[in-house]
Amino acid sequence: MEIKVLHQLMDWNEDVSEEVKATLAEHRICMVNVMGSPGAGKTSLITSLISRLKENWRIGVIEGDIAGQVDAERIAALDIPAVQLNTDGACHIEAMSIRHILPELPLDDLDVIFVENIGNLVCPAEFRIGESLRITILSVPEGDDKVEKYPLMFTDTDCLVLNKYDMMPYFDFDEARVRANYETVNPGAPLFPVSSRTGDGLQKLAAFLEEHIRSAAS
């Protein structure tokens, strides 16, 4: 019975995800699902990308958290439309929540929406939310074994951001191991070493995102 219910939930989520995708396509919006562990630097990365994209693109943000609105307030301080989505204990965002919250954003005035998913390397990978692009973040302090331990998160993503790269001298982190494991589970998908603190590597990641934003807008 539990397996049947789970399949029904997943199928229903896929249906709603397609509805969200259609709505975004109608408005020519690229939605980016940003996933990673708590503390991986999701909010910092989004704010850093906003600073590089906002001159050319109109940006909105959906901030997912189990509780609180600290991150949404941080985004709103940049004069960017931001909506807080609290899951009240759920370990991921579902497509239905996105469908409900989209009307809170000025869709006719946006080119890209960043969705900061719940900090988790398991559940968010299993639920499509109507996104155009998936970004998975792995920070250097988390360790170099995460691709092996949580393969779905790194398999079902469009790129991997190796964040807090400026911390490499201070951690026993085997970058070659991460690259090899990532290439095994997601052959050909790009990997971007970046530092949200110093800005290193962010320009290449921003350029990658702009390709997808242009595609959605065309």
Side-chain angles (χ1 to χ4, degrees):
M1 181 62 70
E2 291 181 1
I3 294 175
K4 181 179 179 181
V5 170
L6 178 59
H7 278 301
Q8 289 174 341
L9 174 61
M10 299 293 283
D11 290 344
W12 178 60
N13 186 80
E14 285 297 318
D15 290 342
V16 179
S17 176
E18 289 301 317
E19 291 179 26
V20 171
K21 190 176 292 186
T23 298
L24 295 171
E26 180 182 344
H27 293 274
R28 298 184 178 182
I29 294 173
C30 175
M31 189 165 75
V32 183
N33 185 0
V34 182
M35 304 177 293
S37 298
K42 295 186 294 298
T43 307
S44 295
L45 182 70
I46 290 171
T47 56
S48 296
L49 288 170
I50 286 172
S51 69
R52 284 162 174 76
L53 298 172
K54 65 181 180 181
E55 288 189 10
N56 298 320
W57 306 102
R58 301 166 298 173
I59 303 168
V61 177
I62 296 173
E63 274 293 338
D65 281 301
I66 290 177
Q69 57 184 29
V70 174
D71 291 338
E73 291 171 352
R74 183 176 169 186
I75 298 294
L78 302 175
D79 197 26
I80 295 293
V83 181
Q84 183 69 46
L85 195 168
N86 288 339
T87 63
D88 297 323
C91 61
H92 61 277
I93 294 174
E94 295 180 7
M96 179 60 73
S97 296
I98 297 296
R99 188 173 75 175
H100 285 159
I101 210 166
L102 279 180
E104 302 297 321
L105 288 168
L107 299 183
D108 290 330
D109 299 315
L110 296 178
D111 301 305
V112 56
I113 298 173
F114 287 101
V115 178
E116 180 174 342
N117 217 311
I118 307 301
N120 192 315
L121 284 178
V122 182
C123 304
E126 299 178 351
F127 288 83
R128 289 280 172 178
I129 57 173
E131 67 269 59
S132 312
L133 186 69
R134 284 184 151 198
I135 293 178
T136 296
I137 302 176
L138 172 64
S139 66
V140 168
E142 291 177 74
D144 53 29
D145 60 351
K146 297 300 179 289
V147 181
E148 295 163 82
K149 289 184 174 181
Y150 307 97
L152 181 60
M153 176 61 75
F154 299 92
T155 301
D156 199 3
T157 189
D158 296 293
C159 72
L160 172 59
V161 174
L162 185 54
N163 199 22
K164 304 185 182 180
Y165 199 69
D166 54 305
M167 302 292 287
M168 284 286 285
Y170 310 104
F171 288 86
D172 184 16
F173 186 93
D174 188 344
E175 181 180 349
R177 177 185 183 184
V178 170
R179 287 182 177 274
N181 289 328
Y182 182 55
E183 176 65 23
T184 297
V185 301
N186 202 344
L191 185 153
F192 298 96
V194 308
S195 169
S196 298
R197 187 178 67 84
T198 67
D200 290 343
L202 285 169
Q203 195 57 45
K204 288 184 178 181
L205 176 59
F208 173 77
L209 289 175
E210 286 194 281
E211 291 181 13
H212 291 270
I213 297 170
R214 290 192 191 95
S215 178
S218 62

